Amino acid sequence: MVRITLTVNGEKKEVDVSISESLLHVLRDKLHLRSVKANCYRGECGICTVIMNNRLVKSCQVLAVEADGAEIITVEGLTRDGKIAPIQRAFIEKFGFQCGFCTPAFVLAGHWIVNNMPKASEDEIREIISGIVCRCTGYKQIVDAIKYAIMLAHGESG
Amino acid sequence: MSSVVESKGVVFWREYFPKLEYFKPKTIDEALDLLDKYGRDARIKAGATCLTRALRARKIKPIPKYLIDITSIKELKKIEYIDGNELIIGAAVTHEEIINNELIKKKFTALWEASANIGDIETRYRGTIGGNIANSSAQADLPPALMVFNAYVTLMSKEGSRKVPLTKFFLGHKKNVMKPNELLVSVHVPEPPEGAKSSYLKFKRSIEDRALVGIAALVAYPRDPSKRIIRLAYTAISKTPFLLSEAEELFKQDKPLSKLIEEAIGIAQSKYGLPVGERGIDLRAPKEYRLHLIRIGTKAILKYLIEGIKVI
Amino acid sequence: MGSKELKYIGKRIPRVDVDKVLGDAEYAYDFELPGMLWVKLVGAPHPHAKIIKIDYSDALKVPGVVRVFTGEDFPFKVGIYAADRDVLAREKTLYYGHPVAAVVAESLEAAEEAASKIVVEYEPLPYVLTIEDALKDNAPLVHENLAEYKHAPFIYPKPGTNIAHHTKLRKGNIEDGFAKADIVVENSYKEPMISHYYLEPWTGIARVKKDGTIEVWSSHQSPFAVRNLLALSLGVPITKLVVHHLRTGGGFGGKAGLLLEHIPVLISMKLGGRPVKLRLTARENFFFMAQRAGYLIKMKTGVTANGKLVAHYGEYYLDAGAYADYTVNIARAVGLTAFGPYEIPNIHVDSYAVYTNKVPTTAFRGFGMQELFFAVESQMDELAHKLGMDPVEFRLKNVFVPGKSRTAINELLRKDAGAPAQAIKEAAKLIEWNTPSEKPREPWKIRAKGFAAFWKGPFQPPNATSSAIVKLNEDGGVDLLIGTGEMGQGTTTGLVQIVAEELGIPPEKIRVAPIRSTDMVPYTWQTVGSRGLFTDGQALVNALNDLKRKIRAVASKIFNVEEYEIEIGDGKACVKGEPEKCVELKDLALGYMQPTGITIGGPLIGAGAHVPERNVLTHPETGQILEEGHLAPFYTFGAGAVEIEINLLTGDIRVLKVVSVFDTPALNPGLAEGQVIGGAVMGINIALREKLLFDVKGEYKGLFPEGMLLNPCLSNYIVSRAADVPKDFKIKFLGVGQSDAPYGAKGIGELAMLAWPAAIANAVYNALKIRITELPLSPDKIIDEIKKKRPELLEEAEKFLELNL
Ligand SMILES: Cc1cc2nc3c(=O)[nH]c(=O)nc-3n(C[C@H](O)[C@H](O)[C@H](O)COP(=O)(O)OP(=O)(O)OC[C@H]3O[C@@H](n4cnc5c(N)ncnc54)[C@H](O)[C@@H]3O)c2cc1C
Ligand code: FES
Ligand code: FES
């Protein structure tokens, strides 16, 4: 066991981790952040995506020990004082989810785009989220939601 | 009737890695010390995009006991351009860092295009050039793009360092010349010949896919047989990515260019020999189709580099 | 209902399951109990082999391991339509990956480690991987004891063969029919086995309480189906079984019926009731969960010179894999559907589910109809071309006319069954059928349009009933209790809209519990076949009527009027025409206290049920209905059209435009469009990319284990990404409802998927004049076909690659 420090959704946490664990296990099993989902454990589906040091990463591919000192954001961290983030509102209003299993990953990807690439074109949005698989929606309403969230956050000019 | 066979039960996938010891050296020397000490029991970790999968599958034999994370070694994270001489890329430089480099985009376009074609944004953010090469997949995108520049790598161990041209580096699918105590330190891309342009063409079935066939090409003075340089390299059609070494000589001949292209295609197709098997990759497209892609892809990339017209 | 302006129905009301966006939706995947044990399954490396010995002594030495189970621990079969499945392989393995042992440990990590230490001795047996091989006279039998298996009354296995089920359909006289035909088209159509690839890998948790109550939390579509099948399979009383439906991360048919729930249940029973969890990873899901059958559809169809269909002969084969449980009923569905939404007087169809030594199969969104319509709608185009008739016009000439037409099983379609012709016309209009595609800017590409029609109803037993309960709360809100599975299709939101509309209260005041437990919510048969909204919706409407009756009874007493004089809306009950005489529903909810204290009414609960109206069975020898009635409670009709672009150099097909038309109204356009777009993208991907690979020709002997599924991961089994899919969708709901449907709305969840392989294959024909009858329409296949049949096209295209020197 190794003790690592993570800043998760703004809070500092110390966790004892084993080298056989990935960040995904730490977030889900040790920090009980169950919004983080998993499917393949092979880096292929993108469902386990979280924001780490302001970048999108597949948490199943990050060794727990390696994440020491990292700053992590999961969907649990998007709602502050009962107020939901623009990206969440957009997913709700634009029907950006169905079964919801992929949704946390897309919400985070959308959140990242809203904050980092507010001028992204539709094609750029589609390219960025292409690391994540959704089998339900056909992606259109997800893309619509991300575009709408950019507008909510930055106004029409965004 | 058939006889009795004993088999291990199949565990199709595991969530957990083997229990290893983890090191995060800050310098190349520290890393080399560790490699020297643990030899075959140690494994380098770069972006871990491939390694995590191999560890979960318990594919690396013997199962490693020590993991050496090289992503904190500053010397491995540098991109250096020695004007008119060569480009040196540290092994731990990520695909994304390559894509963000304007000089590489302009001067070493094939490498830039190959990097931009890898996986998805998350894989490009974490995955490294060293990992892509050391992993030695028969379908890796970067090796052909590097080979058309006659790139070589520097391998280092406690005993010293050696330079290996990429064309001599791969021995087979997931096999290369590296010794257990060696670290891939840097990739060296010589200055392209004057007037050269390069490109990488990847055929895939989805935006996020490995190459069905990948073709890199470098072209200089195509219309002048005496000065003409045309290099072609391929991935996902043979045991390893390869430079079509015959091509450079071939294209020096004073024959109509389209004839020479046909000949080059024939040679490339004759190299077909993808590995098949549990660790192999051949099943994503039949041989005939890959041969077809070699043909139209070679023509398309050369047409683009020679005439500036994109057909595909 | 009806004349009034609707406030919630037909509107883009946001989904009620917003917990999915907020990050606290709970799936079986996430569910845990204190003291829970983990299970890891071990697969067999042979497609067909005798199990001689299983040695797990080393596994038991791994710290944390509790026990290892093998097939002999569970000596019985389980299943729904055909009880053909072992809990773990017994005596022999039936496919590569067949679970032979289950390791139970205190942690998943320990279970994984121990599982890798199990050693098994096998004696390999001859095996069959294709329908053709399985049907040969001396074929190795996948199930030698087929005669002993239990099965549903309408399932007909053939012991001594690999035939798991045979459906016959005989209508009119097939010889006479072909005698009248001027043109006959005969083809074989093939679709490979494919995977649902839902995102939540299957997961189940079970525990047995001290009083014998068995509790199950699992990733499924239908909690009552799981309860029923567990009870039947394990011989435990229904009343001792509680199945909890949590959020389900996609199903697409793959989570209908009984899945692997019996494994954690049985293990918990053997381990003193301790909670036990089995959670798969995606790769395991390919081997341990049922996939979709492969199809071989042979058909011969005759038409008169003036374009009337007169005869259809079909042999349909479903490659069911090692367990055909659900697939037997799909073979029945495709057999009885015969030739889709077209009237033909003479039909002869045999439909079979065939066992092979491959991964088991089950339902897939569309229940065989996408596969059947790939054949039917390709056949329709080819017939039209041979007749020299426009394919759309040809369809219009033969498509069912509600109230007049009789289907293949001789069912007279009800007058309000839908609007098949109108859907076809509308789709043709939206794709601008009569305007040829523009020439692409890149001359080595070619564009064309393609068309396909479809229809479908739920293939359910005639007694597939549903029920609903609504409870009025003291704040005027409502709790809706319902057994509907929610896999993302959005039924729950539709049901909430119905409550909102009927009582005039906002959706925010209506709650549907995310966890639906069989001991808490009323029964509904299953959530499959696009039936949820229709059947559960009708039960709900009845429950609301019941509640309203009770509200009226109390309100009429308060105002001293007759019950019929009470009007309910806007959360109030008022005397008609006297707006000052109103009482708020919240004041009635728990009982209304009159000024003197005397309380009337009491807590108000409405209950309602739905029984399919006159649904009947079919004759075993002819497939004809046993008496006048219906096979399904409703049918949805529609049509789809695409415009595609083919790259003649690479063989890549890109779908540029998608048109999807349905006859039904949509209760919520936002939800409906999500279903339609998601279904289209899935259908298009199936058309272009999906195939489970097996070494059926023995090309890779020695390189891979024999009989292995060769592409069990997303790197090799391609599921499209956001940048791969069409962006241009034209979707239309014609609003033609069925009178007994809730607000007229019929199901669309599966229908959204049915048109695409056929429409794309037809577009490929229109572009290349090449008829491709096998999926997927992958680039290598397109190039191969062009080389064989239209080499000049490739030659032309290759000219653009030549240097202009
Ligand atoms: C979703 C996904 C998509 C992908 N798509 C592509 C693609 O399109 N094209 C493509 O080419 N590849 C692709 N890959 C493969 C691979 O991830 C990348 O090639 C990547 O570059 C590997 O680099 P890494 O830093 O992650 O390597 P790691 O995973 O860290 O290491 C890979 C192997 O190389 C060894 N190694 C790494 N660095 C060194 C070093 N400096 N010295 C010695 N040994 C070393 C490791 O021990 C290990 O065996 C994909 C992978 C994933 C998961
Ligand atoms: S679970 Fe991490 S990418 Fe699939
Ligand atoms: S909403 Fe189900 S996978 Fe995306």
Side-chain angles (χ1 to χ4, degrees):
Chain A
M1 286 286 166
V2 185
R3 174 151 301 190
I4 63 166
T5 311
L6 295 173
T7 306
V8 182
N9 298 327
E11 261 181 70
K12 247 203 166 79
K13 306 259 181 187
E14 292 202 343
V15 224
D16 289 328
V17 304
S18 148
I19 180 79
S20 59
E21 289 175 310
S22 55
L23 175 62
L24 174 59
H25 288 117
V26 176
L27 296 176
R28 281 182 57 87
D29 300 338
K30 299 213 158 134
L31 299 173
H32 309 290
L33 297 163
R34 293 298 168 90
S35 75
V36 186
K37 300 294 185 237
N39 164 270
C40 69
Y41 290 87
R42 292 169 57 85
E44 290 169 346
C45 72
I47 291 298
C48 63
T49 294
V50 298
I51 298 176
M52 174 165 148
N53 300 330
N54 198 32
R55 288 303 308 256
L56 299 171
V57 300
K58 296 173 188 167
S59 60
C60 75
Q61 291 194 314
V62 179
L63 300 169
V65 274
E66 184 192 350
D68 192 16
E71 209 169 303
I72 311 274
I73 296 172
T74 68
V75 170
E76 283 88 346
L78 297 187
T79 308
R80 287 282 161 86
D81 310 322
K83 257 194 79 178
I84 64 172
I87 190 69
Q88 291 171 301
R89 190 178 137 198
F91 265 75
I92 294 169
E93 285 187 31
K94 296 290 174 189
F95 296 87
F97 61 103
Q98 291 182 22
C99 83
F101 209 69
C102 68
T103 307
F106 280 109
V107 165
L108 289 175
H111 185 69
W112 185 84
I113 293 171
V114 168
N115 288 337
N116 295 282
M117 291 188 66
K119 297 218 156 30
S121 67
E122 166 154 353
D123 285 344
E124 283 170 327
I125 292 172
R126 283 181 180 265
E127 149 94 52
I128 292 168
I129 63 174
S130 276
I132 312 169
V133 172
C134 173
R135 188 67 152 161
C136 296
T137 63
Y139 303 104
K140 184 166 190 308
Q141 288 164 313
I142 293 178
V143 175
D144 289 347
I146 296 174
K147 290 200 281 192
Y148 182 56
I150 293 177
M151 216 190 73
L152 289 177
H154 304 280
E156 294 281 357
S157 61
Chain B
M1 261 318 297
S2 26
S3 54
V4 173
V5 290
E6 196 184 85
S7 315
K8 271 246 151 89
V10 186
V11 180
F12 285 110
W13 201 242
R14 295 167 74 157
E15 291 187 11
Y16 289 90
F17 307 121
K19 288 209 159 41
L20 314 113
E21 220 175 302
Y22 176 77
F23 300 97
K24 202 166 187 175
K26 290 265 179 316
T27 64
I28 292 180
D29 283 341
E30 278 175 59
L32 295 182
D33 281 341
L34 289 163
L35 272 175
D36 197 63
K37 187 160 158 204
Y38 298 122
R40 276 170 67 77
D41 286 334
R43 203 74 190 178
I44 299 291
K45 176 208 151 285
T49 55
C50 253
L51 183 72
T52 41
R53 191 187 301 192
L55 287 174
R56 286 198 173 97
R58 306 297 191 270
K59 260 191 187 167
I60 307 169
K61 298 278 155 67
I63 290 173
K65 298 199 180 88
Y66 308 94
L67 211 55
I68 306 168
D69 187 339
I70 59 169
T71 54
S72 291
I73 303 178
K74 286 218 175 63
E75 301 145 87
L76 298 183
K77 306 248 354 139
K78 281 195 292 206
I79 301 180
E80 221 181 318
Y81 177 58
I82 303 169
D83 205 358
N85 187 2
E86 67 175 5
L87 171 75
I88 307 170
I89 307 173
V93 168
T94 64
H95 305 312
E96 184 176 293
E97 286 159 351
I98 291 179
I99 299 166
N100 289 339
N101 189 302
E102 279 301 314
L103 178 108
I104 296 181
K105 184 174 184 179
K106 248 172 68 198
K107 247 194 152 83
F108 303 91
T109 316
L111 173 61
W112 188 88
E113 289 175 353
S115 305
N117 250 303
I118 284 186
D120 52 69
I121 186 174
E122 301 181 41
T123 307
R124 292 192 295 269
Y125 168 61
R126 301 247 312 157
T128 65
I129 185 170
N132 193 282
I133 296 169
N135 196 41
S136 302
S137 159
Q139 54 187 343
D141 287 313
L142 299 193
L146 289 163
M147 284 172 179
V148 295
F149 296 104
N150 293 331
Y152 59 96
V153 292
T154 298
L155 306 179
M156 268 172 105
S157 70
K158 284 276 275 189
E159 286 124 48
S161 80
R162 57 174 176 147
K163 295 188 187 326
V164 182
L166 264 191
T167 49
K168 299 249 160 68
F169 182 83
F170 302 109
L171 299 177
H173 183 52
K174 308 259 162 154
K175 287 191 198 119
N176 58 44
V177 301
M178 284 174 72
K179 299 194 192 112
N181 66 345
E182 274 182 324
L183 178 70
L184 197 161
V185 175
S186 51
V187 183
H188 303 253
V189 197
E191 181 77 8
E194 208 196 307
K197 280 194 247 167
S198 66
S199 184
Y200 181 69
L201 178 59
K202 176 173 177 177
F203 293 100
K204 48 187 180 181
R205 298 155 302 169
S206 147
I207 181 157
E208 207 287 271
D209 193 14
R210 277 12 116 238
L212 291 179
V213 164
I215 308 176
L218 178 145
V219 171
Y221 304 108
R223 317 231 174 236
D224 179 352
S226 65
K227 286 167 78 184
R228 183 193 290 151
I229 298 175
I230 295 184
R231 296 185 197 138
L232 288 164
Y234 297 83
T235 194
I237 63 170
S238 187
K239 289 196 297 293
T240 73
F242 66 92
L243 179 74
L244 194 69
S245 48
E246 299 89 334
E248 197 160 346
E249 275 311 302
L250 180 81
F251 281 111
K252 293 253 149 66
Q253 295 178 30
D254 193 5
K255 283 200 218 162
L257 204 45
S258 44
K259 278 244 159 56
L260 297 173
I261 293 175
E262 289 290 347
E263 276 183 53
I265 290 169
I267 304 172
Q269 288 176 328
S270 74
K271 311 263 171 181
Y272 184 88
L274 262 186
V276 184
E278 255 187 291
R279 302 186 59 181
I281 50 164
D282 172 53
L283 302 171
R284 296 164 318 119
K287 175 179 174 183
E288 301 69 41
Y289 184 62
R290 290 197 210 240
L291 295 182
H292 172 76
L293 292 180
I294 294 174
R295 177 181 167 75
I296 60 154
T298 306
K299 288 186 168 191
I301 197 169
L302 291 178
K303 178 158 182 95
Y304 170 62
L305 288 173
I306 294 169
E307 292 178 350
I309 301 171
K310 264 206 169 116
V311 177
I312 216 66
Chain C
M1 268 195 248
S3 58
K4 227 175 21 188
E5 174 86 26
L6 295 175
K7 204 162 165 195
Y8 301 107
I9 299 293
K11 303 282 159 30
R12 290 177 188 270
I13 305 297
R15 293 182 70 103
V16 295
D17 41 2
V18 293
D19 54 353
K20 294 170 177 174
V21 177
L22 304 180
D24 59 359
E26 193 172 31
Y27 297 78
Y29 197 89
D30 306 314
F31 190 80
E32 282 176 13
L33 289 166
M36 195 176 74
L37 298 169
W38 288 84
V39 184
K40 191 79 180 169
L41 295 179
V42 178
H46 297 286
H48 200 195
K50 265 196 200 143
I51 301 170
I52 308 292
K53 191 176 140 203
I54 302 181
D55 177 359
Y56 49 80
S57 49
D58 283 347
L60 289 175
K61 288 180 199 145
V62 174
V65 169
V66 174
R67 227 169 117 178
V68 176
F69 293 95
T70 66
E72 300 314 316
D73 291 305
F74 312 111
F76 46 83
K77 302 250 175 211
V78 298
I80 163 170
Y81 292 106
D84 57 5
R85 181 153 48 140
D86 288 318
V87 178
L88 298 168
R90 262 192 299 155
E91 288 164 25
K92 60 175 196 167
T93 71
L94 302 185
Y95 69 98
Y96 179 96
H98 199 169
V100 290
V103 180
V104 188
E106 299 284 347
S107 71
L108 176 59
E109 197 174 358
E112 286 185 347
E113 187 57 26
S116 70
K117 298 198 182 312
I118 289 178
V119 180
V120 189
E121 274 175 31
Y122 298 97
E123 185 182 312
L125 300 168
Y127 57 92
V128 284
L129 293 182
T130 63
I131 293 169
E132 292 85 345
D133 286 348
L135 292 176
K136 283 185 184 147
D137 277 347
N138 293 321
L141 292 182
V142 181
H143 294 273
E144 291 93 347
N145 306 323
L146 196 50
E148 293 158 27
Y149 296 1
K150 277 188 274 184
H151 56 80
F154 46 83
I155 297 303
Y156 306 100
K158 282 200 172 166
T161 74
N162 283 317
I163 294 174
H165 170 65
H166 178 191
T167 284
K168 296 179 199 170
L169 188 117
R170 309 284 183 262
K171 185 184 189 193
N173 182 311
I174 193 70
E175 284 84 21
D176 289 358
F178 279 111
K180 287 193 193 113
D182 298 303
I183 290 170
V184 173
V185 165
E186 188 171 357
N187 269 317
S188 267
Y189 299 90
K190 274 182 153 183
E191 289 199 28
M193 273 193 182
I194 62 169
S195 178
H196 308 83
Y197 216 98
Y198 38 74
L199 265 292
E200 182 194 15
W202 187 83
T203 306
I205 302 98
R207 78 160 161 217
V208 187
K209 309 266 293 195
K210 292 280 178 277
D211 70 353
T213 305
I214 299 169
E215 277 192 281
V216 177
W217 295 258
S218 69
S219 183
H220 58 245
Q221 294 183 202
S222 317
F224 286 96
V226 174
R227 184 180 74 168
N228 177 37
L229 296 167
L230 270 177
L232 280 178
S233 300
L234 308 184
V236 290
I238 288 274
T239 315
K240 285 279 183 208
L241 252 172
V242 182
V243 176
H244 304 280
H245 176 80
L246 293 87
R247 297 288 185 224
T248 294
F252 313 117
K255 289 176 183 166
L258 181 66
L259 307 162
L260 300 175
E261 281 86 356
H262 48 283
I263 296 181
V265 168
L266 286 165
I267 291 178
S268 179
M269 287 166 94
K270 296 231 178 201
L271 295 177
R274 277 189 77 174
V276 171
K277 180 165 187 170
L278 170 59
R279 177 172 85 190
L280 305 181
T281 60
R283 199 175 155 88
E284 292 171 305
N285 211 92
F286 272 101
F287 290 98
F288 299 146
M289 287 298 288
Q291 311 296 322
R292 192 208 74 187
Y295 283 71
L296 168 62
I297 296 187
K298 297 183 181 175
M299 54 170 66
K300 186 171 140 187
T301 314
V303 64
T304 61
N306 62 0
K308 269 287 180 193
L309 290 164
V310 283
H312 177 71
Y313 174 86
E315 286 172 33
Y316 307 162
Y317 301 94
L318 280 70
D319 178 352
Y323 295 133
D325 182 13
Y326 227 109
T327 297
V328 291
N329 200 30
I330 306 172
R332 176 171 172 267
V334 291
L336 298 182
T337 308
F339 198 70
Y342 306 106
E343 199 167 3
I344 310 185
N346 308 294
I347 308 179
H348 181 121
V349 170
D350 290 287
S351 181
Y352 305 89
V354 181
Y355 286 120
T356 57
N357 292 110
K358 290 194 292 199
V359 60
T361 60
T362 188
F364 193 110
R365 195 178 192 175
F367 216 62
M369 295 305 126
Q370 174 270 112
E371 303 82 334
L372 179 64
F373 292 155
F374 169 55
V376 168
E377 290 296 301
S378 297
Q379 194 89 339
M380 283 300 282
D381 258 36
E382 199 156 333
L383 284 162
H385 297 316
K386 289 245 160 82
L387 281 163
M389 198 180 270
D390 178 77
V392 169
E393 200 185 310
F394 177 53
R395 284 179 174 83
L396 288 172
K397 231 180 148 115
N398 289 284
V399 77
F400 289 152
V401 180
K404 270 170 98 176
S405 298
R406 285 192 177 268
T407 67
I409 56 161
N410 206 33
E411 165 182 356
L412 178 66
L413 286 180
R414 42 190 290 171
K415 264 210 178 67
D416 61 350
Q422 205 184 330
I424 291 174
K425 285 183 200 155
E426 188 63 28
K429 197 172 111 196
L430 289 175
I431 197 78
E432 300 176 47
W433 183 246
N434 293 319
T435 316
S437 293
E438 272 178 42
K439 272 206 171 0
R441 246 183 305 131
E442 295 155 325
W444 58 93
K445 293 181 179 168
I446 185 166
R447 288 185 187 177
K449 298 172 187 177
F451 197 90
F454 53 83
W455 75 311
K456 188 186 176 297
F459 286 92
Q460 55 181 35
N463 62 350
T465 53
S466 322
S467 50
I469 291 174
V470 277
K471 301 190 294 180
L472 195 57
N473 293 331
E474 58 269 47
D475 65 348
V478 164
D479 272 318
L480 164 57
L481 302 185
I482 197 108
T484 317
E486 176 65 61
M487 294 77 71
Q489 81 281 27
T491 313
T492 317
T493 305
L495 295 175
V496 164
Q497 286 175 266
I498 293 174
V499 178
E501 192 68 55
E502 292 286 314
L503 298 179
I505 56 176
E508 302 84 73
K509 293 189 83 170
I510 301 158
R511 181 176 165 80
V512 194
I515 298 183
R516 288 158 214 169
S517 308
T518 52
D519 61 346
M520 304 284 279
V521 297
Y523 175 82
T524 186
W525 175 68
Q526 287 194 29
T527 309
V528 294
S530 314
R531 72 186 279 279
L533 193 57
F534 178 91
T535 56
D536 302 357
Q538 283 197 48
L540 174 58
V541 168
N542 292 336
L544 287 164
N545 286 339
D546 186 35
L547 178 66
K548 287 200 249 177
R549 246 189 325 272
K550 289 174 177 159
I551 293 170
R552 283 199 200 96
V554 185
S556 65
K557 277 206 189 119
I558 297 170
F559 298 116
N560 222 341
V561 296
E562 294 296 323
E563 285 182 21
Y564 68 84
E565 290 176 82
I566 300 292
E567 211 172 32
I568 300 167
D570 281 336
K572 285 182 285 204
C574 302
V575 179
K576 264 183 213 162
E578 297 184 53
E580 71 289 356
K581 287 192 175 167
C582 277
V583 56
E584 296 204 46
L585 295 185
K586 71 178 166 63
D587 297 327
L588 301 179
L590 305 183
Y592 183 77
M593 190 165 76
Q594 293 172 314
T596 61
I598 292 178
T599 299
I600 54 172
L604 295 185
I605 294 175
H610 164 71
V611 185
E613 202 185 308
R614 288 199 69 78
N615 276 205
V616 293
L617 290 171
T618 51
H619 191 277
E621 290 304 318
T622 63
Q624 304 295 290
I625 44 174
L626 293 177
E627 70 172 296
E628 203 63 70
H630 306 286
L631 188 64
F634 69 87
Y635 299 102
T636 306
F637 290 89
V642 289
E643 180 167 18
I644 65 164
E645 181 175 272
I646 306 176
N647 184 328
L648 295 168
L649 291 170
T650 60
D652 278 319
I653 296 176
R654 217 155 58 89
V655 177
L656 305 173
K657 276 196 196 124
V658 177
V659 164
S660 203
V661 179
F662 303 83
D663 61 353
T664 173
L667 283 196
N668 182 331
L671 287 178
E673 286 161 15
Q675 284 299 298
V676 172
I677 295 168
V681 164
M682 184 182 251
I684 289 167
N685 203 54
I686 289 169
L688 300 182
R689 300 189 178 92
E690 291 183 45
K691 178 178 189 174
L692 291 175
L693 287 172
F694 298 89
D695 183 16
V696 291
K697 293 189 207 141
E699 290 169 85
Y700 306 119
K701 254 197 178 133
L703 296 167
F704 292 98
E706 288 183 42
M708 182 184 175
L709 164 58
L710 299 172
N711 56 342
C713 62
L714 281 180
S715 301
N716 291 313
Y717 188 89
I718 301 282
V719 173
S720 49
R721 313 282 176 138
D724 296 323
V725 302
K727 292 186 230 170
D728 185 354
F729 294 90
K730 285 201 175 65
I731 299 164
K732 186 135 183 192
F733 298 95
L734 297 175
V736 181
Q738 183 165 309
S739 60
D740 60 354
Y743 294 90
K746 303 182 288 185
I748 55 157
E750 301 176 296
L751 284 293
M753 227 191 63
L754 303 186
W756 312 114
I760 295 174
N762 287 340
V764 168
Y765 179 84
N766 293 336
L768 307 177
K769 298 287 169 285
I770 297 174
R771 168 68 50 198
I772 302 182
T773 58
E774 184 173 353
L775 295 190
L777 304 167
S778 51
D780 54 281
K781 192 173 290 150
I782 299 291
I783 291 295
D784 190 46
E785 292 281 340
I786 292 176
K787 279 185 175 168
K788 277 193 211 136
K789 298 183 183 139
R790 299 287 311 280
E792 73 279 8
L793 288 176
L794 187 56
E795 279 158 30
E796 276 301 306
E798 280 205 36
K799 285 197 184 135
F800 297 101
L801 289 172
E802 296 302 328
L803 296 175
N804 299 320
L805 293 176

